[in-house]
Amino acid sequence: MIRKATVLDLPAVKEIYNYAVLNTTATYDINPKDDKYFVDMLNEHTGKYLLSVYEENGNVIGYVALSRYSKRDAYDITAELSVYVKNDCQNRHIGTQLIEYALQEAQKNNRFLTVVSLITSENEHSIYLHKQFGFEFGGRIKNAGFKFDRLLGVDIYYKNFQ
């Protein structure tokens, strides 16, 4: 079941995200985030922005966010998509369901005209998944980050609804 996140979901969201921070290049964060970070995240995802969780048997095992793409006003028609799934729940199409849900929400009442994802260039699984939803390659920034003692690129994928 996918539903809007509440403050009670934040410990599970924190666990999922911090695992990615410490073990993957899915995020360019290097240090785990504290409770305040996730409370702020929940508070920032109100109104047209979205933070939803995937719950199974009472446990949050994934989440999706449609976040502000930029603080500049002209970008208010664009959201940044982020999807994270608990490590031991990968390859069960949970990410697929979360992206599908977020894209449906993004289109409701013309909430957003464009959704953007910034994906580590080596993350072939995420790139494949985004392409399945019609995201287009918008460019690559080489050497955009440094994590695990190596340089990483980031690919920009976007989906326009009009």
Side-chain angles (χ1 to χ4, degrees), residues 60-79:
V60 171
I61 58 173
Y63 72 92
V64 65
L66 288 173
S67 306
R68 184 173 209 158
Y69 175 68
S70 173
K71 292 180 181 178
R72 293 182 176 97
D73 296 339
Y75 288 113
D76 284 351
I77 61 170
T78 301

Side-chain angles (χ1 to χ4, degrees), residues 25-144:
T25 58
T27 175
Y28 281 16
D29 276 327
I30 296 171
N31 298 308
K33 300 301 179 186
D34 62 12
D35 291 341
K36 182 183 179 321
Y37 175 88
F38 294 95
V39 170
D40 290 346
M41 179 198 299
L42 183 65
N43 291 333
E44 290 168 7
H45 288 86
T46 60
K48 70 190 290 183
Y49 299 102
L50 169 81
L51 180 63
S52 295
V53 295
Y54 188 104
E55 183 180 22
E56 182 179 82
N57 300 321
N59 298 309
V60 171
I61 58 173
Y63 72 92
V64 65
L66 288 173
S67 306
R68 184 173 209 158
Y69 175 68
S70 173
K71 292 180 181 178
R72 293 182 176 97
D73 296 339
Y75 288 113
D76 284 351
I77 61 170
T78 301
E80 182 177 346
L81 174 70
S82 300
V83 178
Y84 291 90
V85 176
K86 193 172 178 183
N87 186 57
D88 61 355
C89 297
Q90 300 281 330
N91 301 313
R92 293 179 36 205
H93 304 287
I94 295 165
T96 300
Q97 293 174 62
L98 287 166
I99 291 174
E100 183 174 42
Y101 174 84
L103 293 178
Q104 289 172 357
E105 289 295 314
Q107 293 177 81
K108 282 185 181 175
N109 303 315
N110 293 318
R111 189 182 223 168
F112 299 106
L113 298 180
T114 303
V115 174
V116 174
S117 283
L118 305 176
I119 307 170
T120 305
S121 301
E122 66 186 30
N123 192 341
E124 295 174 7
H125 180 75
S126 186
I127 290 169
Y128 175 81
L129 185 58
H130 280 74
K131 286 180 178 178
Q132 294 300 111
F133 282 99
F135 279 75
E136 297 179 51
F137 178 71
R140 174 173 287 166
I141 303 170
K142 295 179 182 178
N143 302 330

